[in-house]
Amino acid sequence: MNEVFSYESLVHAVSGAVGSVTAMTVFFPLDTARLRLQVDENRKAKSTPAILAEIVKEEGLLAPYRGWFPVICSLCCSNFVYFYCFHCLKASWLKGKQSAPSTDLIIGIAAGVVNVLVTTPLWVVNTRLKLQGSKFHNEDIRPTNYSGILDAFVQIIRDEGVTALWNGTFPSLLLVLNPAIQFMIYEGLKRQLRRGIPRELSSLEVFVIGAIAKAIATTVTYPLQTIQSILRFGQYNNTSTEKSKLLSSLRTIKCLLVNRVRKYGMLGLFKGLEAKLLQTVLTAALMFLLYEKIASCTFRVMGLSNNHYKRR
């Protein structure tokens, strides 16, 4: 119980949330480019600079930052929950012992499941707001009119039902592998660099291992991320009559994956990967750097730095 409500877990959670919000703000236009490439299938621009130039030309200079506030709110909550759960579970499981990659993976998956179930409604709303007012090249996309986060919640519940707030939950649950793989590689590389000696890593070391961990995790799970974005946007009509929601979700994911391969080939599953890798790798690297520095400064002020590094 002490691990669940520990001050140390709170420091990790706040550090992770602040780091991720700052990093996402810096690289937000790259995420806008990635989302358009995933959702707007008829857009001809293929590269990140080309699509950003197209968006600015068609929709104005601030268009790449459309939907920034709901994304930041969702990201702040999501990372707070994830970092808090990850470090609580790790402290409870290890009880001061050295961690291992398999342990980090299992703990990462468990923290990811909690995070998905709690924060998916926020991500559904932020996807809708981020794409609202965009000039789509796909004529089948229906325009939406939300005045803000609360209005989006109200309209979605009223028009589509409460369950629509959890659109894309199943691929999101599969995607808990993304942060789990990322944390497993990150923690493993961190242990390798320290080689058993508790020390604070340099800024460059943290940035590089954060980038490597995220690049591998993103590439492995990217096709599911595309399906997740399409489902969250709410424009896909699921005509399945399956009584089982699990079977229906599996069929929907399979159908979307197959349709995308038929239309664009295997590479269609990775449409927007360049923008995603550029954004997510830089964002994750900066986020881990800020997270480590904020956490270490806080622990140093508390006089806990030595114990803190030994436990990690």
mmCIF file of all heavy atoms in Angstrom, residues 205-250:
data_model
loop_
_atom_site.group_PDB
_atom_site.id
_atom_site.type_symbol
_atom_site.label_atom_id
_atom_site.label_comp_id
_atom_site.label_asym_id
_atom_site.label_seq_id
_atom_site.Cartn_x
_atom_site.Cartn_y
_atom_site.Cartn_z
ATOM 1 N N GLU A 205 23.143 10.722 -23.342
ATOM 2 C CA GLU A 205 22.837 9.304 -23.179
ATOM 3 C C GLU A 205 21.329 9.077 -23.061
ATOM 4 O O GLU A 205 20.769 8.191 -23.713
ATOM 5 C CB GLU A 205 23.547 8.745 -21.939
ATOM 6 C CG GLU A 205 25.046 8.551 -22.121
ATOM 7 C CD GLU A 205 25.740 8.166 -20.818
ATOM 8 O OE1 GLU A 205 25.323 8.653 -19.736
ATOM 9 O OE2 GLU A 205 26.699 7.375 -20.885
ATOM 10 N N VAL A 206 20.681 9.891 -22.243
ATOM 11 C CA VAL A 206 19.229 9.764 -22.043
ATOM 12 C C VAL A 206 18.490 10.033 -23.349
ATOM 13 O O VAL A 206 17.567 9.305 -23.725
ATOM 14 C CB VAL A 206 18.733 10.729 -20.939
ATOM 15 C CG1 VAL A 206 17.212 10.736 -20.867
ATOM 16 C CG2 VAL A 206 19.312 10.339 -19.591
ATOM 17 N N PHE A 207 18.903 11.086 -24.067
ATOM 18 C CA PHE A 207 18.259 11.465 -25.325
ATOM 19 C C PHE A 207 18.376 10.336 -26.351
ATOM 20 O O PHE A 207 17.399 9.961 -26.996
ATOM 21 C CB PHE A 207 18.894 12.749 -25.877
ATOM 22 C CG PHE A 207 18.122 13.380 -27.006
ATOM 23 C CD1 PHE A 207 17.112 14.296 -26.746
ATOM 24 C CD2 PHE A 207 18.400 13.055 -28.330
ATOM 25 C CE1 PHE A 207 16.387 14.875 -27.782
ATOM 26 C CE2 PHE A 207 17.677 13.625 -29.376
ATOM 27 C CZ PHE A 207 16.672 14.546 -29.098
ATOM 28 N N VAL A 208 19.564 9.769 -26.482
ATOM 29 C CA VAL A 208 19.814 8.721 -27.487
ATOM 30 C C VAL A 208 19.052 7.435 -27.157
ATOM 31 O O VAL A 208 18.394 6.857 -28.033
ATOM 32 C CB VAL A 208 21.331 8.433 -27.626
ATOM 33 C CG1 VAL A 208 21.564 7.180 -28.472
ATOM 34 C CG2 VAL A 208 22.041 9.622 -28.250
ATOM 35 N N ILE A 209 19.113 6.972 -25.907
ATOM 36 C CA ILE A 209 18.424 5.709 -25.583
ATOM 37 C C ILE A 209 16.904 5.894 -25.617
ATOM 38 O O ILE A 209 16.172 4.965 -25.976
ATOM 39 C CB ILE A 209 18.895 5.091 -24.235
ATOM 40 C CG1 ILE A 209 18.541 5.991 -23.035
ATOM 41 C CG2 ILE A 209 20.371 4.766 -24.264
ATOM 42 C CD1 ILE A 209 18.821 5.321 -21.696
ATOM 43 N N GLY A 210 16.422 7.093 -25.283
ATOM 44 C CA GLY A 210 14.991 7.391 -25.395
ATOM 45 C C GLY A 210 14.539 7.333 -26.845
ATOM 46 O O GLY A 210 13.479 6.784 -27.167
ATOM 47 N N ALA A 211 15.374 7.865 -27.748
ATOM 48 C CA ALA A 211 15.066 7.871 -29.186
ATOM 49 C C ALA A 211 15.082 6.450 -29.753
ATOM 50 O O ALA A 211 14.188 6.057 -30.506
ATOM 51 C CB ALA A 211 16.081 8.739 -29.932
ATOM 52 N N ILE A 212 16.088 5.651 -29.383
ATOM 53 C CA ILE A 212 16.200 4.267 -29.877
ATOM 54 C C ILE A 212 14.994 3.439 -29.416
ATOM 55 O O ILE A 212 14.376 2.715 -30.210
ATOM 56 C CB ILE A 212 17.514 3.612 -29.380
ATOM 57 C CG1 ILE A 212 18.725 4.269 -30.046
ATOM 58 C CG2 ILE A 212 17.513 2.109 -29.656
ATOM 59 C CD1 ILE A 212 20.062 3.883 -29.426
ATOM 60 N N ALA A 213 14.660 3.563 -28.131
ATOM 61 C CA ALA A 213 13.545 2.786 -27.568
ATOM 62 C C ALA A 213 12.240 3.104 -28.277
ATOM 63 O O ALA A 213 11.466 2.206 -28.640
ATOM 64 C CB ALA A 213 13.424 3.071 -26.065
ATOM 65 N N LYS A 214 11.983 4.387 -28.506
ATOM 66 C CA LYS A 214 10.721 4.786 -29.143
ATOM 67 C C LYS A 214 10.684 4.413 -30.617
ATOM 68 O O LYS A 214 9.637 4.024 -31.132
ATOM 69 C CB LYS A 214 10.509 6.297 -28.983
ATOM 70 C CG LYS A 214 9.100 6.749 -29.355
ATOM 71 C CD LYS A 214 8.062 6.091 -28.448
ATOM 72 C CE LYS A 214 6.655 6.545 -28.767
ATOM 73 N NZ LYS A 214 5.661 5.892 -27.898
ATOM 74 N N ALA A 215 11.810 4.513 -31.309
ATOM 75 C CA ALA A 215 11.866 4.178 -32.736
ATOM 76 C C ALA A 215 11.497 2.706 -32.957
ATOM 77 O O ALA A 215 10.706 2.379 -33.855
ATOM 78 C CB ALA A 215 13.251 4.462 -33.300
ATOM 79 N N ILE A 216 12.048 1.827 -32.139
ATOM 80 C CA ILE A 216 11.765 0.389 -32.270
ATOM 81 C C ILE A 216 10.295 0.106 -31.939
ATOM 82 O O ILE A 216 9.594 -0.579 -32.696
ATOM 83 C CB ILE A 216 12.691 -0.437 -31.350
ATOM 84 C CG1 ILE A 216 14.154 -0.293 -31.805
ATOM 85 C CG2 ILE A 216 12.278 -1.909 -31.349
ATOM 86 C CD1 ILE A 216 15.174 -0.842 -30.827
ATOM 87 N N ALA A 217 9.806 0.658 -30.821
ATOM 88 C CA ALA A 217 8.425 0.416 -30.384
ATOM 89 C C ALA A 217 7.419 0.934 -31.414
ATOM 90 O O ALA A 217 6.420 0.273 -31.704
ATOM 91 C CB ALA A 217 8.183 1.081 -29.033
ATOM 92 N N THR A 218 7.678 2.107 -31.988
ATOM 93 C CA THR A 218 6.758 2.712 -32.960
ATOM 94 C C THR A 218 6.701 1.916 -34.253
ATOM 95 O O THR A 218 5.622 1.656 -34.785
ATOM 96 C CB THR A 218 7.175 4.173 -33.269
ATOM 97 O OG1 THR A 218 7.098 4.921 -32.059
ATOM 98 C CG2 THR A 218 6.266 4.797 -34.306
ATOM 99 N N THR A 219 7.843 1.519 -34.772
ATOM 100 C CA THR A 219 7.890 0.777 -36.034
ATOM 101 C C THR A 219 7.152 -0.555 -35.917
ATOM 102 O O THR A 219 6.391 -0.943 -36.806
ATOM 103 C CB THR A 219 9.347 0.532 -36.468
ATOM 104 O OG1 THR A 219 10.027 1.794 -36.544
ATOM 105 C CG2 THR A 219 9.407 -0.131 -37.832
ATOM 106 N N VAL A 220 7.343 -1.235 -34.796
ATOM 107 C CA VAL A 220 6.720 -2.550 -34.573
ATOM 108 C C VAL A 220 5.195 -2.441 -34.515
ATOM 109 O O VAL A 220 4.477 -3.294 -35.044
ATOM 110 C CB VAL A 220 7.258 -3.191 -33.266
ATOM 111 C CG1 VAL A 220 6.443 -4.409 -32.860
ATOM 112 C CG2 VAL A 220 8.723 -3.596 -33.453
ATOM 113 N N THR A 221 4.676 -1.382 -33.906
ATOM 114 C CA THR A 221 3.230 -1.283 -33.647
ATOM 115 C C THR A 221 2.493 -0.300 -34.557
ATOM 116 O O THR A 221 1.293 -0.083 -34.387
ATOM 117 C CB THR A 221 2.993 -0.852 -32.180
ATOM 118 O OG1 THR A 221 3.619 0.428 -31.952
ATOM 119 C CG2 THR A 221 3.559 -1.856 -31.198
ATOM 120 N N TYR A 222 3.168 0.281 -35.563
ATOM 121 C CA TYR A 222 2.569 1.362 -36.353
ATOM 122 C C TYR A 222 1.269 1.001 -37.084
ATOM 123 O O TYR A 222 0.322 1.798 -37.058
ATOM 124 C CB TYR A 222 3.575 1.938 -37.359
ATOM 125 C CG TYR A 222 3.054 3.187 -38.025
ATOM 126 C CD1 TYR A 222 3.033 4.397 -37.342
ATOM 127 C CD2 TYR A 222 2.537 3.151 -39.314
ATOM 128 C CE1 TYR A 222 2.525 5.543 -37.922
ATOM 129 C CE2 TYR A 222 2.030 4.291 -39.909
ATOM 130 C CZ TYR A 222 2.025 5.483 -39.213
ATOM 131 O OH TYR A 222 1.508 6.614 -39.786
ATOM 132 N N PRO A 223 1.158 -0.169 -37.754
ATOM 133 C CA PRO A 223 -0.113 -0.477 -38.436
ATOM 134 C C PRO A 223 -1.324 -0.385 -37.506
ATOM 135 O O PRO A 223 -2.389 0.107 -37.894
ATOM 136 C CB PRO A 223 0.104 -1.915 -38.930
ATOM 137 C CG PRO A 223 1.573 -1.993 -39.157
ATOM 138 C CD PRO A 223 2.174 -1.207 -38.008
ATOM 139 N N LEU A 224 -1.171 -0.837 -36.263
ATOM 140 C CA LEU A 224 -2.281 -0.756 -35.300
ATOM 141 C C LEU A 224 -2.567 0.687 -34.902
ATOM 142 O O LEU A 224 -3.704 1.048 -34.613
ATOM 143 C CB LEU A 224 -1.965 -1.590 -34.055
ATOM 144 C CG LEU A 224 -2.258 -3.089 -34.158
ATOM 145 C CD1 LEU A 224 -1.720 -3.814 -32.946
ATOM 146 C CD2 LEU A 224 -3.745 -3.357 -34.308
ATOM 147 N N GLN A 225 -1.533 1.534 -34.880
ATOM 148 C CA GLN A 225 -1.734 2.945 -34.548
ATOM 149 C C GLN A 225 -2.580 3.627 -35.618
ATOM 150 O O GLN A 225 -3.400 4.503 -35.311
ATOM 151 C CB GLN A 225 -0.391 3.656 -34.406
ATOM 152 C CG GLN A 225 0.400 3.209 -33.193
ATOM 153 C CD GLN A 225 1.694 3.977 -33.043
ATOM 154 O OE1 GLN A 225 1.725 5.187 -33.157
ATOM 155 N NE2 GLN A 225 2.788 3.281 -32.801
ATOM 156 N N THR A 226 -2.378 3.245 -36.890
ATOM 157 C CA THR A 226 -3.181 3.795 -37.981
ATOM 158 C C THR A 226 -4.646 3.414 -37.805
ATOM 159 O O THR A 226 -5.538 4.259 -37.929
ATOM 160 C CB THR A 226 -2.663 3.274 -39.351
ATOM 161 O OG1 THR A 226 -1.302 3.683 -39.502
ATOM 162 C CG2 THR A 226 -3.482 3.824 -40.501
ATOM 163 N N ILE A 227 -4.916 2.147 -37.502
ATOM 164 C CA ILE A 227 -6.290 1.667 -37.285
ATOM 165 C C ILE A 227 -6.917 2.375 -36.089
ATOM 166 O O ILE A 227 -8.084 2.764 -36.113
ATOM 167 C CB ILE A 227 -6.296 0.127 -37.056
ATOM 168 C CG1 ILE A 227 -5.686 -0.601 -38.255
ATOM 169 C CG2 ILE A 227 -7.707 -0.375 -36.781
ATOM 170 C CD1 ILE A 227 -6.215 -0.218 -39.616
ATOM 171 N N GLN A 228 -6.121 2.578 -35.046
ATOM 172 C CA GLN A 228 -6.593 3.285 -33.847
ATOM 173 C C GLN A 228 -7.056 4.696 -34.197
ATOM 174 O O GLN A 228 -8.121 5.147 -33.753
ATOM 175 C CB GLN A 228 -5.453 3.343 -32.825
ATOM 176 C CG GLN A 228 -5.795 4.055 -31.532
ATOM 177 C CD GLN A 228 -4.531 4.340 -30.721
ATOM 178 O OE1 GLN A 228 -3.585 4.933 -31.229
ATOM 179 N NE2 GLN A 228 -4.514 3.903 -29.482
ATOM 180 N N SER A 229 -6.277 5.425 -35.012
ATOM 181 C CA SER A 229 -6.625 6.789 -35.411
ATOM 182 C C SER A 229 -7.925 6.819 -36.209
ATOM 183 O O SER A 229 -8.787 7.680 -35.994
ATOM 184 C CB SER A 229 -5.503 7.416 -36.257
ATOM 185 O OG SER A 229 -4.348 7.593 -35.490
ATOM 186 N N ILE A 230 -8.091 5.856 -37.138
ATOM 187 C CA ILE A 230 -9.303 5.789 -37.970
ATOM 188 C C ILE A 230 -10.533 5.540 -37.099
ATOM 189 O O ILE A 230 -11.574 6.183 -37.259
ATOM 190 C CB ILE A 230 -9.164 4.679 -39.044
ATOM 191 C CG1 ILE A 230 -8.077 5.072 -40.057
ATOM 192 C CG2 ILE A 230 -10.485 4.428 -39.763
ATOM 193 C CD1 ILE A 230 -7.626 3.936 -40.964
ATOM 194 N N LEU A 231 -10.423 4.616 -36.142
ATOM 195 C CA LEU A 231 -11.547 4.289 -35.267
ATOM 196 C C LEU A 231 -11.897 5.442 -34.321
ATOM 197 O O LEU A 231 -13.063 5.733 -34.082
ATOM 198 C CB LEU A 231 -11.246 3.019 -34.462
ATOM 199 C CG LEU A 231 -11.215 1.714 -35.276
ATOM 200 C CD1 LEU A 231 -10.726 0.558 -34.418
ATOM 201 C CD2 LEU A 231 -12.582 1.389 -35.856
ATOM 202 N N ARG A 232 -10.873 6.106 -33.791
ATOM 203 C CA ARG A 232 -11.124 7.248 -32.898
ATOM 204 C C ARG A 232 -11.807 8.398 -33.623
ATOM 205 O O ARG A 232 -12.615 9.117 -33.050
ATOM 206 C CB ARG A 232 -9.802 7.738 -32.297
ATOM 207 C CG ARG A 232 -9.306 6.903 -31.135
ATOM 208 C CD ARG A 232 -7.956 7.390 -30.660
ATOM 209 N NE ARG A 232 -7.510 6.685 -29.474
ATOM 210 C CZ ARG A 232 -6.298 6.817 -28.949
ATOM 211 N NH1 ARG A 232 -5.418 7.619 -29.523
ATOM 212 N NH2 ARG A 232 -5.965 6.162 -27.857
ATOM 213 N N PHE A 233 -11.462 8.564 -34.900
ATOM 214 C CA PHE A 233 -12.068 9.642 -35.693
ATOM 215 C C PHE A 233 -13.558 9.404 -35.885
ATOM 216 O O PHE A 233 -14.330 10.334 -36.124
ATOM 217 C CB PHE A 233 -11.343 9.735 -37.042
ATOM 218 C CG PHE A 233 -11.710 10.948 -37.846
ATOM 219 C CD1 PHE A 233 -12.035 12.154 -37.237
ATOM 220 C CD2 PHE A 233 -11.721 10.894 -39.223
ATOM 221 C CE1 PHE A 233 -12.362 13.273 -37.984
ATOM 222 C CE2 PHE A 233 -12.048 12.006 -39.983
ATOM 223 C CZ PHE A 233 -12.370 13.197 -39.358
ATOM 224 N N GLY A 234 -14.000 8.146 -35.770
ATOM 225 C CA GLY A 234 -15.433 7.835 -35.770
ATOM 226 C C GLY A 234 -16.093 7.858 -37.129
ATOM 227 O O GLY A 234 -17.326 7.919 -37.218
ATOM 228 N N GLN A 235 -15.321 7.820 -38.225
ATOM 229 C CA GLN A 235 -15.911 7.889 -39.558
ATOM 230 C C GLN A 235 -16.063 6.507 -40.196
ATOM 231 O O GLN A 235 -16.570 6.384 -41.298
ATOM 232 C CB GLN A 235 -15.018 8.762 -40.468
ATOM 233 C CG GLN A 235 -14.836 10.176 -39.968
ATOM 234 C CD GLN A 235 -16.020 11.073 -40.269
ATOM 235 O OE1 GLN A 235 -16.821 10.777 -41.129
ATOM 236 N NE2 GLN A 235 -16.141 12.174 -39.550
ATOM 237 N N TYR A 236 -15.584 5.473 -39.499
ATOM 238 C CA TYR A 236 -15.677 4.123 -40.048
ATOM 239 C C TYR A 236 -17.007 3.503 -39.650
ATOM 240 O O TYR A 236 -17.369 3.474 -38.470
ATOM 241 C CB TYR A 236 -14.522 3.255 -39.519
ATOM 242 C CG TYR A 236 -14.635 1.798 -39.925
ATOM 243 C CD1 TYR A 236 -14.367 1.410 -41.238
ATOM 244 C CD2 TYR A 236 -15.027 0.839 -38.999
ATOM 245 C CE1 TYR A 236 -14.478 0.080 -41.614
ATOM 246 C CE2 TYR A 236 -15.135 -0.488 -39.375
ATOM 247 C CZ TYR A 236 -14.863 -0.871 -40.680
ATOM 248 O OH TYR A 236 -14.977 -2.182 -41.042
ATOM 249 N N ASN A 237 -17.768 3.020 -40.644
ATOM 250 C CA ASN A 237 -19.062 2.402 -40.367
ATOM 251 C C ASN A 237 -18.901 0.903 -40.164
ATOM 252 O O ASN A 237 -18.613 0.165 -41.113
ATOM 253 C CB ASN A 237 -20.035 2.646 -41.535
ATOM 254 C CG ASN A 237 -20.382 4.109 -41.667
ATOM 255 O OD1 ASN A 237 -20.616 4.783 -40.673
ATOM 256 N ND2 ASN A 237 -20.411 4.607 -42.898
ATOM 257 N N ASN A 238 -19.091 0.477 -38.925
ATOM 258 C CA ASN A 238 -18.982 -0.949 -38.618
ATOM 259 C C ASN A 238 -20.362 -1.596 -38.737
ATOM 260 O O ASN A 238 -21.238 -1.363 -37.917
ATOM 261 C CB ASN A 238 -18.442 -1.130 -37.197
ATOM 262 C CG ASN A 238 -18.207 -2.591 -36.853
ATOM 263 O OD1 ASN A 238 -18.382 -3.473 -37.691
ATOM 264 N ND2 ASN A 238 -17.800 -2.846 -35.618
ATOM 265 N N THR A 239 -20.557 -2.399 -39.787
ATOM 266 C CA THR A 239 -21.863 -3.017 -40.040
ATOM 267 C C THR A 239 -21.945 -4.443 -39.478
ATOM 268 O O THR A 239 -22.866 -5.181 -39.751
ATOM 269 C CB THR A 239 -22.139 -3.074 -41.560
ATOM 270 O OG1 THR A 239 -21.047 -3.739 -42.196
ATOM 271 C CG2 THR A 239 -22.278 -1.672 -42.134
ATOM 272 N N SER A 240 -20.956 -4.799 -38.673
ATOM 273 C CA SER A 240 -20.914 -6.156 -38.133
ATOM 274 C C SER A 240 -22.110 -6.432 -37.225
ATOM 275 O O SER A 240 -22.535 -5.580 -36.453
ATOM 276 C CB SER A 240 -19.619 -6.361 -37.344
ATOM 277 O OG SER A 240 -19.648 -7.604 -36.683
ATOM 278 N N THR A 241 -22.697 -7.643 -37.348
ATOM 279 C CA THR A 241 -23.835 -8.022 -36.503
ATOM 280 C C THR A 241 -23.400 -8.951 -35.370
ATOM 281 O O THR A 241 -24.222 -9.564 -34.704
ATOM 282 C CB THR A 241 -24.906 -8.743 -37.357
ATOM 283 O OG1 THR A 241 -24.287 -9.842 -38.031
ATOM 284 C CG2 THR A 241 -25.515 -7.791 -38.380
ATOM 285 N N GLU A 242 -22.092 -9.044 -35.158
ATOM 286 C CA GLU A 242 -21.558 -9.912 -34.098
ATOM 287 C C GLU A 242 -22.096 -9.472 -32.736
ATOM 288 O O GLU A 242 -22.098 -8.298 -32.409
ATOM 289 C CB GLU A 242 -20.025 -9.825 -34.061
ATOM 290 C CG GLU A 242 -19.355 -10.413 -35.280
ATOM 291 C CD GLU A 242 -19.184 -11.916 -35.186
ATOM 292 O OE1 GLU A 242 -19.564 -12.481 -34.149
ATOM 293 O OE2 GLU A 242 -18.705 -12.505 -36.163
ATOM 294 N N LYS A 243 -22.540 -10.446 -31.935
ATOM 295 C CA LYS A 243 -22.992 -10.120 -30.585
ATOM 296 C C LYS A 243 -21.807 -9.869 -29.668
ATOM 297 O O LYS A 243 -21.868 -9.051 -28.771
ATOM 298 C CB LYS A 243 -23.845 -11.276 -30.031
ATOM 299 C CG LYS A 243 -25.216 -11.368 -30.701
ATOM 300 C CD LYS A 243 -26.071 -12.447 -30.074
ATOM 301 C CE LYS A 243 -27.431 -12.522 -30.759
ATOM 302 N NZ LYS A 243 -28.284 -13.594 -30.209
ATOM 303 N N SER A 244 -20.720 -10.580 -29.906
ATOM 304 C CA SER A 244 -19.527 -10.404 -29.085
ATOM 305 C C SER A 244 -18.760 -9.163 -29.528
ATOM 306 O O SER A 244 -18.378 -9.047 -30.696
ATOM 307 C CB SER A 244 -18.625 -11.637 -29.201
ATOM 308 O OG SER A 244 -17.337 -11.356 -28.695
ATOM 309 N N LYS A 245 -18.555 -8.235 -28.605
ATOM 310 C CA LYS A 245 -17.822 -7.000 -28.931
ATOM 311 C C LYS A 245 -16.369 -7.297 -29.260
ATOM 312 O O LYS A 245 -15.770 -6.621 -30.078
ATOM 313 C CB LYS A 245 -17.905 -6.012 -27.758
ATOM 314 C CG LYS A 245 -19.263 -5.359 -27.639
ATOM 315 C CD LYS A 245 -19.243 -4.176 -26.701
ATOM 316 C CE LYS A 245 -20.565 -3.447 -26.712
ATOM 317 N NZ LYS A 245 -20.566 -2.278 -25.836
ATOM 318 N N LEU A 246 -15.801 -8.327 -28.608
ATOM 319 C CA LEU A 246 -14.413 -8.694 -28.868
ATOM 320 C C LEU A 246 -14.248 -9.193 -30.298
ATOM 321 O O LEU A 246 -13.363 -8.748 -31.029
ATOM 322 C CB LEU A 246 -13.956 -9.770 -27.876
ATOM 323 C CG LEU A 246 -12.522 -10.290 -28.065
ATOM 324 C CD1 LEU A 246 -11.507 -9.167 -27.880
ATOM 325 C CD2 LEU A 246 -12.234 -11.432 -27.104
ATOM 326 N N LEU A 247 -15.159 -10.103 -30.724
ATOM 327 C CA LEU A 247 -15.099 -10.625 -32.086
ATOM 328 C C LEU A 247 -15.342 -9.521 -33.104
ATOM 329 O O LEU A 247 -14.696 -9.452 -34.148
ATOM 330 C CB LEU A 247 -16.138 -11.741 -32.270
ATOM 331 C CG LEU A 247 -15.749 -13.132 -31.759
ATOM 332 C CD1 LEU A 247 -16.908 -14.093 -31.903
ATOM 333 C CD2 LEU A 247 -14.540 -13.664 -32.520
ATOM 334 N N SER A 248 -16.294 -8.633 -32.785
ATOM 335 C CA SER A 248 -16.601 -7.510 -33.673
ATOM 336 C C SER A 248 -15.383 -6.602 -33.830
ATOM 337 O O SER A 248 -15.059 -6.153 -34.937
ATOM 338 C CB SER A 248 -17.784 -6.712 -33.110
ATOM 339 O OG SER A 248 -18.058 -5.602 -33.921
ATOM 340 N N SER A 249 -14.690 -6.321 -32.710
ATOM 341 C CA SER A 249 -13.491 -5.468 -32.738
ATOM 342 C C SER A 249 -12.381 -6.110 -33.561
ATOM 343 O O SER A 249 -11.716 -5.442 -34.350
ATOM 344 C CB SER A 249 -12.983 -5.211 -31.314
ATOM 345 O OG SER A 249 -13.922 -4.486 -30.578
ATOM 346 N N LEU A 250 -12.210 -7.437 -33.376
ATOM 347 C CA LEU A 250 -11.183 -8.156 -34.133
ATOM 348 C C LEU A 250 -11.478 -8.124 -35.626
ATOM 349 O O LEU A 250 -10.586 -7.918 -36.446
ATOM 350 C CB LEU A 250 -11.091 -9.608 -33.650
ATOM 351 C CG LEU A 250 -10.343 -9.851 -32.331
ATOM 352 C CD1 LEU A 250 -10.580 -11.267 -31.833
ATOM 353 C CD2 LEU A 250 -8.849 -9.593 -32.507
#
